[in-house]
Amino acid sequence: MATIEMRTDDVVMGRYRLIWVERDEVVGEVEQSLSGICHVVPVGPHWSPMKSFARDYENPDAALEDIRQYFARR
């Protein structure tokens, strides 16, 4: 099972990096708009069914939970 953590981006406000802990690798980002809505942006080669993440999330934690479920079987 892959462990995914979310870390605040030090440069861009409202951006969070999704880190695959065991590989110390960024696998995506969560971008939060000024209205608070979040979107997942893929990074790297580990994504295939990206359509399942092409939706709005209420907050970064909701996006993180969805990503953790996706990577749970990796």
Side-chain angles (χ1 to χ4, degrees):
M1 180 170 107
T3 305
I4 306 297
E5 288 183 353
M6 185 169 54
R7 299 181 190 155
T8 304
D9 188 299
D10 294 335
V11 178
V12 180
M13 182 183 262
R15 181 182 292 164
Y16 304 87
R17 301 217 182 255
L18 299 166
I19 310 294
W20 186 338
V21 175
E22 291 82 4
R23 294 182 178 206
D24 192 30
E25 183 177 340
V26 176
V27 295
E29 296 176 344
V30 175
E31 294 184 349
Q32 189 170 28
S33 69
L34 294 175
S35 66
I37 299 299
C38 296
H39 294 87
V40 174
V41 178
V43 175
H46 303 291
W47 299 87
S48 56
M50 282 310 299
K51 291 178 184 176
S52 62
F53 299 109
R55 66 184 197 99
D56 295 339
Y57 293 93
E58 292 180 18
N59 56 58
D61 291 328
L64 176 60
E65 183 58 34
D66 215 11
I67 300 309
R68 283 181 171 162
Q69 288 178 15
Y70 171 76
F71 276 94
R73 295 173 295 280
R74 304 261 178 234

